Amino acid sequence: MNETASARARAEIDLAALAANVGTLRAYAPDAALMAVVKSDAYGHGAVPCARAALEAGATWLGTATPEEALALREAGLQGRIMCWLWTPGGPWQEAVAADVDLGISGLWALREAVEAARAAERTARVQLKADTGLGRNGCQPGDWPELVSAALRAEAEGLVRVTGLWSHFACADEPGHPSIGAQLTAFREMVAYAEKQGISPEVRHIANSPATLTLPKSHFDLVRTGIATYGISPSPALGTAAELGLRPVMTLSASLALVKRVPAGHGVSYGHHYVTPGDTTLGLVPVGYADGIPRHASGTGPVLAGGKWRTVAGRVAMDQFAVDLGGDQPMVGERVVLFGPGDEGEPTAEDWARAAGTIAYEIVTRIGTRVPRVHVNSE
């Protein structure tokens, strides 16, 4: 552990837990390759250390949203297959082609930019054509698919691109039995079959995200893309808890009590006095707030483990701090308060914070800000 990490707060990242999660996910999809998705700084966990740990644990692909994220991995010395998919016109296409990054292509404009980048780089661009099978975000609509496939084949014949993949993304895989799941699978099979009949020969076909990897074997195809599950968080309570799915949360967020003081009954706490002490008590000051990613929506409800007991945020979460009512207990200033972790010692989990804030656990871990140092442990 890095002992120089800030005493104010830290996010401890257990790389051994991440490696174990990769192993668990590979077992769910034994016949498919695994892409560890490390977008958004590995969902707040630290992209480069997590990417390395995932590859060492058996992932064979890395996935990012933006090309800048993919290029940062290359600059850090990470080899192997890296894919990125969130492009805008004028992006670093040439740099990505030169770095052997697989480019997600959702339409003709993107394919044109990839072709021009290949010409400029004097290198064949690796591209993966994305089908919009019903999510309605990125991806090519079925009606436009023949034109995109045809253009890709022409570019491939010129040696400017190599179509390495055909892929899509589920809208509701975290809702078992949702009718869109079967509809999207049917659409994906049809669009893949069309592309292959026209002459596309992809290395990988993929549609499965974390929930589909865990619950839908028929969606695994050649590759599964695991994001939140890699970090030990259940994609949805409907699928089961992390423990029930064989996953272990990777991040433990903690802070040091900055102040402990006695206050009388009727004392207002934090902005707006939405909490008033019901009796003589002690307050503890936790020195993290919404500038650090603690959701303000969890004011009055966010849980912490402080002084060996479960407490909740007293009053509003402020920019840099929040208070907890310690009920007369007097832990030492500097004592560690755990906001969330695996739950082994009775501490809350990211899912508990998600319920408190009315959101999803993805957001809880991803939003933890840069003022909170990541301390990566158990790397061997």
Side-chain angles (χ1 to χ4, degrees):
M1 183 183 300
N2 180 2
E3 298 296 342
T4 65
S6 168
R8 179 184 72 92
R10 73 182 185 200
E12 191 171 287
I13 310 302
D14 185 348
L15 295 177
L18 187 146
N21 293 335
V22 169
T24 296
L25 292 164
R26 290 181 67 203
Y28 273 99
D31 298 323
L34 185 139
M35 175 189 290
V37 179
V38 294
K39 64 180 182 177
S40 191
D41 199 30
Y43 291 61
H45 293 69
V48 171
C50 289
R52 287 199 179 109
L55 292 173
E56 289 170 3
T60 51
W61 288 74
L62 298 173
T64 71
T66 70
E68 290 81 6
E69 292 171 330
L71 292 170
L73 295 176
R74 285 287 191 242
E75 289 164 9
L78 287 160
Q79 304 299 312
R81 301 302 286 272
I82 300 176
M83 180 182 175
C84 67
W85 46 78
L86 191 58
W87 287 93
T88 52
W93 294 90
Q94 185 176 338
E95 294 91 332
V97 171
D100 280 332
V101 172
D102 282 55
L103 317 176
I105 300 295
S106 293
L108 285 173
W109 76 266
L111 181 62
R112 284 194 290 267
E113 296 224 13
V115 165
E116 289 306 310
R119 286 197 177 102
E122 297 182 341
R123 191 175 195 139
T124 301
R126 290 205 293 251
V127 302
Q128 300 208 16
L129 307 184
K130 185 176 185 183
D132 182 358
T133 56
L135 179 59
R137 298 189 320 191
N138 234 346
C140 180
Q141 280 281 296
D144 299 323
W145 188 245
E147 188 178 17
L148 181 62
V149 168
S150 177
L153 284 167
R154 289 195 300 271
E156 200 166 53
E158 293 181 54
L160 294 168
V161 307
R162 164 78 178 99
V163 180
T164 58
L166 301 171
W167 68 296
S168 190
H169 194 61
F170 281 117
C172 304
D174 55 349
E175 300 178 45
H178 195 283
S180 70
I181 297 171
Q184 282 196 258
L185 268 175
T186 297
F188 183 59
R189 290 192 181 101
E190 290 173 351
M191 293 172 81
V192 166
Y194 175 86
E196 292 180 339
K197 185 177 180 181
Q198 299 305 306
I200 298 289
S201 180
E203 296 175 31
V204 288
R205 301 158 300 159
H206 50 110
I207 188 173
N209 53 4
S210 283
T213 300
L214 293 163
T215 66
L216 201 64
K218 62 185 176 181
S219 73
H220 292 169
F221 292 94
D222 308 302
L223 173 70
V224 296
R225 305 186 307 269
T226 59
I228 197 65
T230 309
Y231 307 100
I233 293 175
S234 170
S236 168
L239 304 182
T241 66
E244 288 168 344
L245 295 168
L247 304 171
R248 181 171 176 78
V250 173
M251 181 188 292
T252 297
L253 179 66
S254 64
S256 298
L257 281 173
L259 181 68
V260 177
K261 63 182 179 183
R262 297 202 66 83
V263 297
H267 200 296
V269 180
S270 196
Y271 294 123
H273 283 185
H274 290 271
Y275 182 79
V276 176
T277 56
D280 292 353
T281 191
T282 45
L283 296 176
L285 188 66
V286 183
V288 288
Y290 59 76
D292 302 293
I294 309 305
R296 191 171 182 269
H297 283 337
S299 295
T301 57
V304 302
L305 186 68
K309 297 178 183 177
W310 188 293
R311 328 276 183 168
T312 53
V313 175
R316 282 185 177 164
V317 174
M319 183 178 289
D320 311 301
Q321 55 197 279
F322 64 84
V324 292
D325 189 333
L326 297 169
D329 295 339
Q330 291 190 285
M332 297 290 292
V333 171
E335 185 170 316
R336 186 179 186 226
V337 174
V338 181
L339 282 77
F340 59 80
D344 296 345
E345 299 175 9
E347 77 274 14
T349 64
E351 188 58 50
D352 291 319
W353 272 87
R355 283 192 292 270
T359 185
I360 56 176
Y362 297 66
E363 183 179 355
I364 297 300
V365 293
T366 303
R367 69 186 295 160
I368 300 305
T370 56
R371 294 200 307 187
V372 178
R374 273 58 170 176
V375 182
H376 294 88
V377 300
N378 300 327
S379 59
E380 295 181 2

